[in-house]
Amino acid sequence: HKRAALRSKTANPSKNDGLLRSLVEHQCHRNDMPHAKRKTVSVCKVPEEARLSLATDRASRNSDGDVMHSDMNDPALIPRITILKNIINFFCEDTDGSSQGSSGDLNNSSQNGRRLTLGGMGGLGKTTLAAMAACLTELRSEFDHILWVNLGSYFKGGSDRNNLSYEMYLDCVQNLCKQLNVSSVFNCEVFLQPGDSKMNISSKYIQAMENLKHEMSKIVQGMKILIVLDDVWSHEDVELFNFGEHVSSLFSILVTTRILDQEPSSSCLSIDVGLMSQDEGRYLFSIEAGLERFANAQDNEAVDCILKKCGYLPLAIRTAGRLVKASRKIGPELNTLDILEIVIKMSDSPRMSPVTELLDRSFSFVTNEFASFALKLLFSAFAVVFRRDDILRPWVNLGDIHIVWKALICSHDMIQLQLRSSLREYKLTKIEQIADLMFVMGLLDRKCGKRSSEFHQQKSYRVHHDLMWDYGKMFCSLFRTFDGELVKCEQHGIACCNVCFEGSLDFIFNENNKKWNGIIVEYFQSSAEIKNAKSYELKWLPLHMMKAGLFHEAFDLLTTEEFLENQIEANGIEDGICFMISLVRSYEKMYIADSFPSKTPMITILLHINDFLFRFSSLVQLDDTFKREIGHGIILLGLELQKFSKLLKSIDIFENALNVFSTITCEESDPDIAYALKLIDSCATHNLVLVRQDSPNKLKLKVQDVLNNVQNKTNLCFELSSHPGYTIVEMECKCKFTGIVSYEGVYLGVGSKDNSLMLNYDGQMIRDATCRRTFFAALGCLAEGFPLQLISDFQFGCFIKEHEQVEKVMKCLNAARLYAIADDGSVYPKMAPHLCLGVLYFQSLILVANHSSNRAVFKYYSKLQCSKISNIDNEGKNENNDRSILSSPNADGILLELSSHPGMGIVLLNQASSVPLINGALIGGLAIGPVQHALSAKMNEKNHLMITNYNNGLAFTSGLKENLDIGKNIYISDLLGPWINEFVINDDGTISPLHAKELVFGF
């Protein structure tokens, strides 16, 4: 009754005020009834997001300012009673089905599948209305659960999307499961491989999202559910949460959005939330300003002027009201009219919008220009340095804020500008006082967690609203100093002028962002005053290092075992790994933007985390629950690595996860083991090579009948009829050639049809539909066993002068790019019709990581170490055109039998052929095969691994130094020159390039 009495004192009561008082009095009367007479009603919990949305409003009216955690069933927080009643009536009133109104009719909706949309521009209070409705007993008693998803949070911070991706949707679904307190483990992952077209990628993700939707429908079956979808950017996303399509129980959706739904369903009601009326604006302003009534007509006139300046936008009115309330606390000697006039003053910048202008004036009650400027600078720094790629407005604890603000306050610019002393004039001597002041002003939200000591609670803050974050970014883009003085524009004579500095906003923002973060990192590392800064070091130090351009320091920090151990200790295994991945993604984004590297360090960091987790699982005694968490964390790393087409490394990581799960159980039916095996299989591919027409490994296209009917022959999927479920895919291994001509590309293979390349065929050449790369026989050699590549256009070296030389090379290259499709679907080179595309079932010999489970371990490695021979003419070439294998089984060499693969050895993939592109040098491929066909070899004094039972003079080679990486093919050749031919036999039985011992032979 006291609340109702307070509302009745408000000047100029309106019809809505009467509705408000009636509703409040009814609510208060019901709460004050004796318990014995009160009807017991089962109500669901208030969503935490709704609670937080209203907590700050309540806290601003609470005596001590702390967030109150009550039921918040007071509907008087906002003067939109008509809309609030419509929401309750829409979801709570039964219908008889007789109404035949339009989609805007309150009663025109079925009992199940109701959808109510609150639409309008930002700042109108749509989220507050939804939160208030979710807190009311009438709505909470209608449903078993009210769930809340903030979709708009996924599209902030420079995102170029306006609809949910698969990762975003999965996160939303897991959030819903958390609110329902059910398991959030789904087997709806997407497997990507090199060569995926955009169409195939989209299809995979859409199917996975549909599967997730179906799984959620099973979960909510039998429950009465209301889902609040806050800040929807695409109405297509709403259908993803329409789990009521597959359930018979009550299911409804409440949507808040800034965009118009052009295709509303028949059961959808749309309510346009407009600007406030004058009476509504006065009421909201009085509540936020803490004023019971305005003293006189002058006050009312001033308030009306403020409302007009705010454009009757609730967000702007609320900010202005909080400014007045803060001004009354700091300047109690000022009367109401003086305070109102401060708010009315116009900004110096003619181009500022009313809301941004008002936010800028939020600091105006601090009459000292430098103190006001210091508050703006600290708020801007808070918004900018604590912004993360995945969260625009994260919660930051007070200890971390203390480090950041103290670093800036003690910086050279702040000292020169005497900003610290200016803050002291207003008795703002502590960081907590500044943060609490910004909370009172409505710039920051505040929440209090568990007590960190007997007398103190752990406080956390975040930027109150996206528009306020934009203001912080804007100020950072205008703040300029030179020799300790503010830079003012020539035209207006003011600092931070967004008119004169408009052309350099991005440059200034990036410079300040880098400078501020550099100051913070330097202060943290050098200050002896900082204590108990573990939270800052784990959450923010790596990010601030990256923003400061200190990438080497950030890399070193992210790859220290102590940092990983602390992350796992603070956040748990799985959450700690997810946070590390978010840091690594930020590193990747900023590192590439800063230095444009040719190779990303992100892969190294991910592999380091994988090694740490795998070692941790094997060295420490853990129970099965922790082991599973480690396995899940390792899988997350492998999935992240797959995005870089690093399939071989991903296989190693997935095998590590499989080994962890195998220590728990050996049952292949175990979901985690089955999932790990599925991921390993998704990375498996086989080399695409040239084979004889009569080969059983010949490939035939399923698309052959399509080619006969499609005129343009574009965007074709080369699915195979000879190998159902498979198609031509892009492999991980890159190729690069530099010589008479230069080109680069990738090797081709045969893999799952889900990863198919989209190709164009003009009757002569087969090209990648997206990159315009061309099918090409490796090194231009049309010989059996040579792999197929997808390469870029040729670049000729400037040293080619003779026309005949150019013509000879081009003839060879063009022959390797021309293909025809036979009636049976086989694909063959036009200049070598006796060959065709085929699959290599024996895995090619390649370079792998020295710790990979796919490495080749040689049975007689100790004999190879002792087999160095001398006086071999490495430069001579065998002119014998009969390149058949010698009759001797080993020709005094050491048999290349494998102990890692019993019964197998290194075999010749194809007969060594002359390659015109490299001056007729002999090249032959190698693979794993039956030991009876294995090659023999010896090491000579130059560390060349020489073949002894096939065409003396051939040696192992890994090609050009530029290609030395995981996945690189190993050949035999008589070309020494610029190619890598030096190898070393390791003590563990593996073989490595002499100058790259982190790599070994493998498959």
Side-chain angles (χ1 to χ4, degrees):
H1 290 294
K2 290 181 180 178
R3 290 197 297 270
L6 175 63
R7 304 312 191 262
S8 66
K9 295 180 181 179
T10 305
N12 299 326
S14 64
K15 183 178 179 180
N16 280 343
D17 288 335
L19 290 171
L20 175 63
R21 288 196 298 273
S22 176
L23 188 54
V24 173
E25 289 170 357
H26 172 72
Q27 185 74 27
C28 295
H29 175 69
R30 184 176 60 186
N31 292 338
D32 293 338
M33 289 174 60
H35 182 72
K37 297 181 180 180
R38 188 180 301 172
K39 181 180 179 181
T40 301
V41 179
S42 177
V43 296
C44 64
K45 290 176 59 177
V46 176
E48 186 64 18
E49 282 279 350
R51 190 185 297 274
L52 291 175
S53 296
L54 302 178
T56 304
D57 300 277
R58 271 295 189 88
S60 65
R61 290 184 286 277
N62 192 24
S63 58
D64 59 7
D66 288 334
V67 173
M68 297 178 62
H69 298 284
S70 67
D71 285 342
M72 298 179 198
N73 55 3
D74 180 4
L77 283 171
I78 52 175
R80 298 293 186 97
I81 300 304
T82 302
I83 296 178
L84 199 59
K85 289 174 65 177
N86 285 342
I87 295 174
I88 300 302
N89 292 338
F90 181 79
F91 289 115
C92 297
E93 290 186 0
D94 292 332
T95 60
D96 56 8
S98 60
S99 176
Q100 301 295 328
S102 66
S103 63
D105 192 330
L106 280 175
N107 293 321
N108 184 34
S109 62
S110 61
Q111 186 69 13
N112 191 30
R114 295 180 177 181
R115 184 186 306 173
L116 176 63
T117 300
L118 302 179
M121 63 178 288
L124 288 172
K126 301 181 296 296
T127 298
T128 306
L129 279 166
M132 274 305 309
C135 291
L136 287 175
T137 302
E138 288 84 351
L139 205 60
R140 292 165 58 201
S141 62
E142 185 75 8
F143 298 93
D144 296 329
H145 297 277
I146 299 179
L147 311 178
W148 190 291
V149 181
N150 184 357
L151 297 183
S153 63
Y154 293 94
F155 309 121
K156 303 299 191 303
S159 173
D160 57 356
R161 301 185 61 93
N162 64 355
N163 61 337
L164 290 176
S165 65
Y166 168 74
E167 290 80 8
M168 296 175 184
Y169 183 58
L170 176 60
D171 187 69
C172 291
V173 171
Q174 290 174 337
N175 183 16
L176 293 175
C177 290
K178 184 177 180 180
Q179 295 179 53
L180 289 169
N181 197 26
V182 299
S183 173
S184 59
V185 178
F186 300 97
N187 292 321
C188 300
E189 283 72 19
V190 179
F191 305 108
L192 300 178
Q193 288 188 352
D196 272 343
S197 65
K198 291 183 178 179
M199 183 180 298
N200 281 333
I201 292 174
S202 298
S203 177
K204 287 183 183 180
Y205 281 133
I206 291 172
Q207 184 60 49
M209 294 166 82
E210 286 296 325
N211 292 340
L212 279 175
K213 180 180 176 181
H214 187 68
E215 291 294 323
M216 276 301 300
S217 297
K218 295 179 181 178
I219 292 175
V220 303
Q221 172 65 36
M223 304 178 188
K224 294 188 291 184
I225 299 290
L226 171 64
I227 293 184
V228 181
L229 301 179
D230 186 29
D231 199 10
V232 171
W233 285 36
S234 173
H235 283 279
E236 294 177 355
D237 291 339
V238 177
E239 289 302 317
L240 294 173
F241 297 89
N242 188 13
F243 309 126
E245 290 180 343
H246 307 292
V247 301
S248 57
S249 51
L250 180 62
F251 186 89
S252 301
I253 302 176
L254 175 58
V255 176
T256 72
T257 182
R258 309 180 190 188
I259 59 176
L260 177 66
D261 187 0
Q262 297 180 348
E263 297 180 3
S265 63
S266 59
S267 60
C268 176
L269 167 69
S270 295
I271 298 178
D272 292 328
V273 181
L275 297 171
M276 285 186 162
S277 66
Q278 186 180 53
D279 291 334
E280 289 175 334
R282 283 182 177 179
Y283 175 80
L284 179 59
F285 185 88
S286 66
I287 293 296
E288 294 292 346
L291 302 172
E292 292 186 9
R293 66 177 69 188
F294 303 121
N296 50 49
Q298 284 183 315
D299 289 349
N300 281 326
E301 185 178 346
V303 169
D304 289 341
C305 184
I306 291 174
L307 297 179
K308 185 176 181 180
K309 178 180 177 64
C310 293
Y312 296 100
L313 187 69
L315 173 64
I317 296 172
R318 177 170 288 153
T319 304
R322 291 175 182 175
L323 171 59
V324 171
K325 186 174 183 178
S327 302
R328 294 174 65 205
K329 287 186 176 182
I330 296 175
E333 72 282 357
L334 298 175
N335 59 42
T336 303
L337 184 60
D338 291 335
I339 295 174
L340 295 175
E341 287 179 351
I342 292 176
V343 182
I344 294 174
K345 289 182 179 179
M346 297 299 294
S347 172
D348 291 325
S349 176
R351 294 191 182 182
M352 295 182 71
S353 66
V355 176
T356 306
E357 179 183 320
L358 182 65
L359 293 173
D360 189 65
R361 301 306 298 179
S362 297
F363 305 88
S364 299
F365 63 84
V366 179
T367 55
N368 183 287
E369 177 185 359
F370 294 106
S372 176
F373 196 86
L375 289 175
K376 294 179 185 179
L377 180 62
L378 292 179
F379 174 76
S380 176
F382 183 100
V384 171
V385 304
F386 286 122
R387 182 254 186 188
R388 285 169 40 186
D389 288 336
D390 55 338
I391 305 177
L392 183 66
R393 301 181 296 116
W395 287 101
V396 186
N397 68 52
L398 183 60
D400 299 342
I401 299 172
H402 186 278
I403 293 173
V404 169
W405 280 355
K406 191 70 179 292
L408 294 176
I409 289 174
C410 297
S411 65
H412 174 74
D413 286 343
M414 294 286 276
I415 293 174
Q416 290 293 107
L417 293 173
Q418 300 181 352
L419 300 181
R420 187 175 187 179
S421 59
S422 301
L423 289 173
R424 287 176 175 173
E425 291 183 12
Y426 282 83
K427 299 180 180 181
L428 297 174
T429 58
K430 297 181 179 180
I431 297 299
E432 185 173 2
Q433 292 175 334
I434 300 174
D436 285 339
L437 174 61
M438 292 186 182
F439 164 70
V440 172
M441 295 164 57
L443 300 174
L444 299 179
D445 293 338
R446 183 180 70 188
K447 68 177 181 179
C448 297
K450 297 180 180 179
R451 292 184 180 273
S452 56
S453 67
E454 185 178 354
F455 303 103
H456 295 88
Q457 280 187 315
Q458 178 65 50
K459 293 182 178 180
S460 298
Y461 301 81
R462 71 175 179 183
V463 176
H464 174 63
H465 193 276
D466 292 354
L467 289 176
M468 294 172 183
W469 184 90
D470 288 331
Y471 173 81
K473 179 182 178 182
M474 181 207 69
F475 186 89
C476 179
S477 303
L478 300 172
F479 173 74
R480 302 179 67 180
T481 59
F482 182 76
D483 288 342
E485 295 184 1
L486 292 174
V487 176
K488 299 182 179 181
C489 67
E490 296 181 359
Q491 182 178 351
H492 303 95
I494 60 174
C496 300
C497 178
N498 70 335
V499 177
C500 300
F501 297 160
E502 184 177 12
S504 55
L505 294 181
D506 290 340
F507 174 79
I508 298 175
F509 174 80
N510 292 330
E511 287 296 308
N512 283 333
N513 192 13
K514 187 174 183 178
K515 181 179 179 181
W516 291 351
N517 281 280
I519 291 172
I520 295 165
V521 173
E522 183 180 1
Y523 173 79
F524 176 80
Q525 294 177 334
S526 61
S527 177
E529 302 176 4
I530 300 177
K531 298 179 181 179
N532 300 322
K534 186 176 181 180
S535 171
Y536 172 79
E537 185 176 7
L538 292 178
K539 291 183 178 180
W540 300 110
L541 180 59
L543 187 64
H544 291 165
M545 285 179 169
M546 300 172 205
K547 291 184 176 183
L550 303 174
F551 295 106
H552 293 296
E553 291 83 350
F555 179 87
D556 292 340
L557 179 62
L558 290 174
T559 52
T560 57
E561 291 196 0
E562 182 181 2
F563 185 80
L564 289 173
E565 290 173 356
N566 291 335
Q567 282 289 352
I568 292 175
E569 180 182 355
N571 302 311
I573 296 174
E574 206 162 344
D575 290 343
I577 296 305
C578 288
F579 184 72
M580 285 293 298
I581 290 176
S582 71
L583 288 177
V584 173
R585 288 173 178 171
S586 298
Y587 186 103
E588 169 82 1
K589 180 179 178 180
M590 286 183 270
Y591 182 68
I592 291 177
D594 184 79
S595 56
F596 301 101
S598 58
K599 188 175 182 180
T600 172
M602 181 176 178
I603 296 173
T604 303
I605 300 176
L606 293 174
L607 292 175
H608 171 78
I609 300 173
N610 166 70
D611 294 341
F612 170 80
L613 286 179
F614 190 64
R615 284 200 315 274
F616 182 75
S617 66
S618 59
L619 296 177
V620 182
Q621 291 294 329
L622 301 171
D623 61 28
D624 292 349
T625 301
F626 284 108
K627 286 182 179 179
R628 288 195 185 275
E629 282 194 45
I630 290 176
H632 295 156
I634 292 175
I635 283 178
L636 290 175
L637 297 172
L639 292 173
E640 192 69 23
L641 204 57
Q642 263 190 314
K643 297 176 182 179
F644 293 86
S645 298
K646 299 298 182 181
L647 299 184
L648 293 174
K649 294 185 177 73
S650 297
I651 288 177
D652 291 339
I653 291 180
F654 293 142
E655 286 182 345
N656 284 346
L658 179 63
N659 292 334
V660 172
F661 294 138
S662 298
T663 62
I664 303 173
T665 177
C666 296
E667 297 291 334
E668 290 192 8
S669 59
D670 179 80
D672 289 328
I673 289 182
Y675 182 41
L677 290 172
K678 183 177 181 180
L679 290 171
I680 292 172
D681 290 341
S682 71
C683 298
T685 55
H686 299 276
N687 291 85
L688 184 67
V689 297
L690 293 175
V691 299
R692 298 189 308 273
Q693 283 283 359
D694 59 352
S695 171
N697 298 328
K698 176 180 180 180
L699 298 182
K700 295 181 180 180
L701 299 182
K702 186 177 180 181
V703 78
Q704 188 269 337
D705 55 339
V706 178
L707 289 174
N708 292 333
N709 298 302
V710 178
Q711 182 176 0
N712 295 327
K713 299 180 177 61
T714 59
N715 294 316
L716 301 173
C717 171
F718 275 29
E719 188 176 349
L720 304 176
S721 61
S722 56
H723 299 71
Y726 287 85
T727 185
I728 297 176
V729 301
E730 186 176 321
M731 299 185 70
E732 176 181 347
C733 182
K734 303 292 189 293
C735 60
K736 184 177 182 180
F737 182 83
T738 303
I740 299 176
V741 296
S742 300
Y743 60 85
E744 57 184 25
V746 295
Y747 284 87
L748 294 172
V750 175
S752 171
K753 67 178 182 180
D754 293 332
N755 304 303
S756 175
L757 284 167
M758 299 305 293
L759 302 168
N760 296 341
Y761 178 59
D762 60 4
Q764 299 289 330
M765 296 183 183
I766 302 173
R767 299 179 181 272
D768 181 357
T770 57
C771 300
R772 303 295 294 175
R773 295 173 296 176
T774 310
F775 267 46
F776 181 70
L779 298 174
C781 187
L782 295 176
E784 183 183 355
F786 270 75
L788 272 293
Q789 300 170 336
L790 194 64
I791 66 166
S792 62
D793 293 334
F794 300 119
Q795 300 293 327
F796 287 87
C798 59
F799 55 85
I800 298 181
K801 297 180 180 179
E802 298 181 7
H803 178 73
E804 293 182 359
Q805 186 180 13
V806 174
E807 187 175 339
K808 181 180 179 181
V809 171
M810 283 304 302
K811 183 178 180 180
C812 172
L813 296 179
N814 286 332
R817 295 195 297 176
L818 301 178
Y819 293 88
I821 300 177
D823 292 338
D824 64 352
S826 61
V827 182
Y828 62 92
K830 288 190 173 183
M831 305 308 293
H834 63 288
L835 301 174
C836 64
L837 301 190
V839 63
L840 176 66
Y841 284 107
F842 289 145
Q843 292 293 329
S844 296
L845 185 64
I846 60 174
L847 293 175
V848 300
N850 56 10
H851 59 270
S852 172
S853 59
N854 294 321
R855 64 188 183 277
V857 180
F858 290 84
K859 186 174 182 178
Y860 304 116
Y861 72 93
S862 58
K863 294 183 179 180
L864 278 173
Q865 289 176 323
C866 302
S867 68
K868 285 192 175 182
I869 56 177
S870 58
N871 301 319
I872 295 180
D873 183 8
N874 295 311
E875 302 297 327
K877 295 182 180 180
N878 192 338
E879 298 299 333
N880 185 7
N881 291 326
D882 181 13
R883 304 184 188 279
S884 60
I885 299 179
L886 301 180
S887 59
S888 174
N890 56 23
D892 297 325
I894 309 302
L895 188 67
L896 299 181
E897 185 177 354
L898 302 176
S899 61
S900 57
H901 299 69
M904 308 295 281
I906 304 301
V907 301
L908 193 64
L909 181 60
N910 58 280
Q911 291 189 355
S913 302
S914 176
V915 180
L917 194 59
I918 47 178
N919 297 321
L922 295 176
I923 300 290
L926 298 171
I928 182 176
V931 69
Q932 57 266 32
H933 300 303
L935 296 171
S936 298
K938 284 186 177 183
M939 292 288 290
N940 71 4
E941 59 185 4
K942 296 183 179 180
N943 295 312
H944 297 160
L945 190 58
M946 309 297 299
I947 300 299
T948 60
N949 63 340
Y950 174 79
N951 204 335
N952 292 338
L954 297 183
F956 280 65
T957 179
S958 56
L960 296 172
K961 295 180 180 180
E962 292 84 352
N963 291 348
L964 199 60
D965 196 2
I966 290 178
K968 179 68 182 71
N969 286 74
I970 302 298
Y971 300 98
I972 55 172
S973 175
D974 59 354
L975 179 67
L976 299 182
W979 285 23
I980 295 177
N981 302 275
E982 296 175 313
F983 298 91
V984 60
I985 312 298
N986 300 312
D987 292 337
D988 62 353
T990 59
I991 299 178
S992 299
L994 182 61
H995 301 294
K997 294 186 179 180
E998 72 279 5
L999 303 175
V1000 296
F1001 289 0
F1003 309 98

